Amino acid sequence: MDDFIIGDYDFSPVSEKKAKSKKSFQAKKLLPGMRKAEKRLMLLQYQTWQRLVGDKLVFAPVSFSGDQRILEVATGAGFWMLDVASQLPKSVAIHGIDRSSRYFPKQHPSNVSFSTCSATALPFSWAGYFDFAHQRFLSLSMTNPEWKAALAELYRVTKPGGWVQIGEVYPAFPEGKHGVKQKAIFYAVSKARGLDLDIPLQLERHLSAAGFVDVRVEESYGHCGASHGTQGQTYKGRMLALTKAMRSEVLQAGGFGVVESKQEYEEMMKGLEKEYDESGCTICLFTCIAKKPHPDFAV
């Protein structure tokens, strides 16, 4: 394998063939100096989604035992990468990219590295470089043209025969008049931002259009609301936080024909909390895997 240099990090394989420990990473030791509350929230969100998928990290039919390379797009604090690194041989090189380095861990295993980069414009030299690529939770961050560009980039940097894994969440809207308003607001805001809220429901089609084959989707469901314990409270809290964060944008746009005042928005927020606890609605994480075909592949 040729040496691959990013900044001062040598991306060539490390000779050690077996990981010294199969234990999960220690987040407190590896996270940068962020506020404790922010650390807890980010880690809680990661652990919540991992529990939803049964703590499964890789869904594709691949095994990592040699000098393979793994890429994570939009890695954030690198939780997924660090979890994967704790379970694989040090000979497997794992690299994560994000638009900002703010959350990159200051300490990490020697086979893990990070760089700042856009998901829609990966380095030219990465063509056909990675055996496996992972990307998650960008449906509320990228427009349709950006999604098309990002998937094209994933296709370009993945080796023929390599796999990609993409995870996206479709929101949970409770039954009831407040849930109806919330759903209408989510779709209106998404449209105003040029986003497609239905991306999670269309992953299979988008990956096939990008040229991938053997596309499969696995759905993992979680219940929202107080009656479903800590997990249910976490999902509910996430949806309420997202809805609250949209308030200023919605009101500045005149309410999108859904709400007419700040007071009405606040009434909706209070009603949503009750509806989440009573309706038993579910949130769904779609995990899609797909393979880049070999050049001689025929449909």
Side-chain angles (χ1 to χ4, degrees):
M1 185 187 300
D2 295 333
D3 288 353
F4 187 56
I5 309 297
I6 301 179
D8 61 354
Y9 180 79
D10 186 345
F11 205 51
S12 353
V14 179
S15 59
E16 183 176 349
K17 295 300 180 182
K18 291 185 178 180
K20 292 181 180 180
S21 173
K22 295 295 183 181
K23 295 181 181 179
S24 182
F25 71 97
Q26 298 297 309
K28 288 190 290 185
K29 296 180 181 179
L30 296 170
L31 282 177
M34 297 183 291
R35 291 179 307 220
K36 289 184 179 180
E38 194 172 14
K39 287 182 183 180
R40 282 200 306 270
L41 179 60
M42 291 180 68
L43 184 58
L44 174 62
Q45 289 175 349
Y46 171 74
Q47 292 172 334
T48 297
W49 295 122
Q50 280 305 113
R51 280 194 288 269
L52 187 61
V53 297
D55 290 320
K56 194 172 182 178
L57 295 167
V58 176
F59 287 69
V62 295
S63 60
F64 301 100
S65 56
D67 297 337
Q68 293 111 320
R69 306 178 186 107
I70 297 174
L71 172 69
E72 183 174 41
V73 175
T75 186
F79 293 134
W80 181 87
M81 290 175 57
L82 297 171
D83 248 352
V84 168
S86 72
Q87 301 180 29
L88 296 181
K90 289 288 184 66
S91 60
V92 178
I94 309 170
H95 186 70
I97 66 111
D98 209 298
R99 291 181 297 180
S100 169
S101 61
R102 179 185 178 193
Y103 298 119
F104 291 170
K106 292 182 177 180
Q107 300 176 39
H108 48 75
S110 59
N111 61 326
V112 171
S113 62
F114 299 85
S115 64
T116 54
C117 179
S118 170
T120 61
L122 301 177
F124 181 77
S125 62
W126 289 6
Y129 196 79
F130 294 95
D131 298 275
F132 183 80
H134 178 255
Q135 176 183 295
R136 194 155 66 166
F137 306 147
L138 288 180
S139 60
L140 295 179
S141 302
M142 294 196 299
T143 63
N144 278 327
E146 288 171 335
W147 262 102
K148 186 175 181 179
L151 292 180
E153 285 294 84
L154 281 179
Y155 186 90
R156 182 178 66 82
V157 303
T158 303
K159 287 182 178 180
W163 289 82
V164 299
Q165 177 175 308
I166 297 178
E168 293 295 340
V169 172
Y170 185 76
F173 303 111
E175 296 179 3
K177 65 178 183 179
H178 301 293
V180 171
K181 286 184 177 182
Q182 180 194 35
K183 185 174 183 178
I185 285 172
F186 266 67
Y187 273 94
V189 170
S190 295
K191 184 178 180 180
R193 294 179 182 177
L195 307 176
D196 185 354
L197 196 63
D198 289 333
I199 281 286
L201 310 176
Q202 304 164 353
L203 286 175
E204 186 172 1
R205 176 170 64 83
H206 285 295
L207 282 162
S208 296
F212 291 99
V213 298
D214 294 341
V215 184
R216 312 169 206 172
V217 179
E218 185 166 326
E219 301 176 11
S220 305
Y221 292 92
H223 296 282
C224 295
S227 61
H228 299 286
T230 303
Q231 293 285 93
Q233 289 281 47
T234 300
Y235 298 138
K236 180 184 77 171
R238 178 63 175 159
M239 288 300 304
L240 290 174
L242 284 171
T243 309
K244 184 177 180 179
M246 294 178 181
R247 184 182 63 186
S248 295
E249 184 176 354
V250 171
L251 295 178
Q252 287 175 7
F256 294 115
V258 180
V259 295
E260 296 182 355
S261 65
K262 181 179 178 180
Q263 180 181 353
E264 187 177 354
Y265 204 99
E266 293 303 319
E267 289 175 356
M268 179 190 71
M269 291 298 303
K270 292 178 181 178
L272 280 173
E273 186 153 9
K274 183 177 180 181
E275 288 182 355
Y276 271 116
D277 289 339
E278 295 178 349
S279 72
C281 64
T282 56
I283 196 165
C284 184
L285 172 57
F286 294 85
T287 303
C288 188
I289 60 170
K291 183 172 72 172
K292 180 175 178 177
H294 289 279
D296 57 352
F297 176 82
V299 179

